[in-house]
Amino acid sequence: TGGATFSRAVTFNEASANDLDFRMESAANTHQFFLDGSADAIGIQTSSPTYPLDGSGSTICGIFTIDERSIG
């Protein structure tokens, strides 16, 4: 309910002891951006990311590079 202003870097879950999640909402999506601390994964428009970077829906990207170690 309001904005936040930060004048320095912000670190979440620095100790990694609690496997905390971080979630940002949009007007229409409760999990627009979701960092799952215990799964070490980031979800875009999904509350249960399966991959290190997991998105739901269609997306248009201009330039996007991924270092893919295995395909399967």
Side-chain angles (χ1 to χ4, degrees):
T1 60
T5 302
F6 302 98
S7 60
R8 299 186 187 268
V10 178
T11 302
F12 296 92
N13 196 23
E14 184 173 19
S16 297
N18 296 320
D19 291 328
L20 300 175
D21 297 338
F22 175 77
R23 179 172 57 98
M24 290 190 290
E25 296 183 358
S26 68
N29 194 323
T30 59
H31 290 80
Q32 185 66 30
F33 181 92
F34 179 65
L35 187 143
D36 188 331
S38 61
D40 293 329
I42 295 172
I44 299 173
Q45 296 185 0
T46 179
S47 61
S48 54
T50 305
Y51 305 101
L53 179 59
D54 195 355
S56 174
S58 59
T59 303
I60 297 173
C61 294
I63 297 173
F64 196 73
T65 303
I66 298 176
D67 180 10
E68 186 72 31
R69 303 232 188 274
S70 63
I71 298 172

